[in-house]
Amino acid sequence: MSEKEIIDLEEQFQARIDRGENIEPKDWMPEKYRKTHIRQISQHAHSEIVGMLPEGNWITRTPSLRRKVALLAKVQDEAGHGLYLYSATETLGISRDELFEQLHSGKAKYSSIFNYPVITWADIGAIGWLVDGAAIMNQVMLTRTSYGPYARAMVRICKEESFHQRQGYEIMLTLAQGTKVQKEMAQDALNRWWWPSLMMFGPTDEASTHTEQSMKWKIKRKTNDELRQQFVNQTVPQAEFLGLTIPDKDLKWNEERGQYDFGEIDWDEFWRVVKGHGPCNKERLHARKSAYEKGKWVRDAAVAYADKKAKQTLKEAV
């Protein structure tokens, strides 16, 4: 294909994006668009699967049967989200085995938020309220992203994430209205999860290497900083209702901007965790690799059973 033909195809592709059309798997797309989506959707899928680890560890320690059922449902949802997203990534011409290899080798990333320890039951509430709240902020716009399979997967995921956020907020509300010790536990969880939650939106727009192109291709509809500001504006009043204090001495309402001003994020910590040096990076990756290796016999058995059924069906047809 000549350079002119490629330029023409790229112009036609961008025109479709500008008209708000969805790009489907069999449509022509620039290689960079395909690779960008593989990176983004697979990172999202890995985050859902790795995100099961810290919460799954609390299923046997919930304070009541009602909480246990809700947490089981949430972890199950996250497994489903990972499977939707792996399936969406596969439509871009990459196998699931390749995706797992990239995760296990450290080539592919997952959300840095899951590299922090979950110390108390209040952390489960803070994760639901803050982490899933930040995720929803990111993900609602993805229901209108330009790649069709990703956009459609996000519709159901966002509905279920909304349940997760409400579940977490209810846990925090119960603790905040409880005993002095329970309220202190809720405040402690907020103190530890607030800044990592703000980091979930990624680096500042100035430091981001992907935002400009992602906006042009309508992979993203808002920048990292816009989404982070929206999250702060929404979450501060929720904390006030709980009677909890946001751990930011610089936080204040800016009447002129009609938004909250907030303190500087520790970007050194952000990059340290992203590069694999967070409190639980090694633990999370080891758990995923171990689960994959120990589950090999299940995958092999499933393939063998499918082959046997296929041969039996073919034999009956003959």
Side-chain angles (χ1 to χ4, degrees), residues 1 13 23 55 86 91 106 124 150 157 187 190-191 217 232 239-240 246-247 256-257 262-263 293 310 316-317:
M1 189 178 295
F13 178 83
I23 305 302
E55 293 179 305
Y86 282 132
T91 66
I124 298 297
Y150 193 21
I157 289 174
Q187 181 64 58
L190 172 57
N191 292 345
W217 279 335
V232 172
E240 290 174 350
I246 299 291
E256 185 178 338
R257 293 197 312 123
F262 55 95
E293 291 163 3
E316 291 173 353

Side-chain angles (χ1 to χ4, degrees), residues 14 32 36 210-219:
Q14 187 61 52
K32 187 176 179 181
T36 296
H210 302 292
T211 294
E212 184 178 353
Q213 185 63 71
S214 293
M215 294 287 285
K216 182 180 179 181
W217 279 335
K218 296 187 179 179
I219 297 172

Side-chain angles (χ1 to χ4, degrees), residues 303-315:
V303 170
Y305 178 76
D307 287 345
K308 182 179 179 181
K309 290 291 289 184
K311 290 176 182 176
Q312 183 179 344
T313 301
L314 180 61
K315 184 178 180 181

Side-chain angles (χ1 to χ4, degrees), residues 182-194:
Q182 288 173 322
K183 186 170 183 178
E184 288 174 350
M185 186 165 68
Q187 181 64 58
D188 173 65
L190 172 57
N191 292 345
R192 285 182 289 106
W193 288 94
W194 174 252

Side-chain angles (χ1 to χ4, degrees), residues 194-237:
W194 174 252
W195 292 106
S197 295
L198 294 190
M199 294 177 195
M200 281 182 68
F201 296 97
T204 62
D205 295 343
E206 291 179 358
S208 176
T209 57
H210 302 292
T211 294
E212 184 178 353
Q213 185 63 71
S214 293
M215 294 287 285
K216 182 180 179 181
W217 279 335
K218 296 187 179 179
I219 297 172
K220 297 179 69 170
R221 300 280 179 156
K222 293 184 179 180
T223 70
N224 296 349
D225 288 338
E226 287 174 333
L227 289 168
R228 193 168 9 250
Q229 182 69 66
Q230 187 178 338
F231 175 75
V232 172
N233 292 344
Q234 175 180 292
T235 309
V236 171

Side-chain angles (χ1 to χ4, degrees), residues 20 90 152 200-201 209 225 238 261 291-292:
E90 286 175 314
R152 290 188 288 273
M200 281 182 68
F201 296 97
T209 57
D225 288 338
Q238 294 173 351
D261 293 334
Y292 186 77

Side-chain angles (χ1 to χ4, degrees), residues 136-203:
I136 292 170
M137 201 73 69
N138 260 318
Q139 294 169 9
V140 165
M141 69 173 183
L142 292 174
T143 61
R144 297 184 294 115
T145 193
S146 60
Y147 189 57
Y150 193 21
R152 290 188 288 273
M154 291 312 305
V155 172
R156 177 168 179 174
I157 289 174
C158 284
K159 290 179 180 178
E160 292 175 347
E161 290 290 359
S162 179
F163 158 76
H164 301 166
Q165 197 268 348
R166 288 168 183 248
Q167 175 200 8
Y169 192 73
E170 191 214 358
I171 291 173
M172 295 297 281
L173 181 61
T174 301
L175 292 171
Q177 294 178 341
T179 65
K180 181 175 181 290
V181 171
Q182 288 173 322
K183 186 170 183 178
E184 288 174 350
M185 186 165 68
Q187 181 64 58
D188 173 65
L190 172 57
N191 292 345
R192 285 182 289 106
W193 288 94
W194 174 252
W195 292 106
S197 295
L198 294 190
M199 294 177 195
M200 281 182 68
F201 296 97

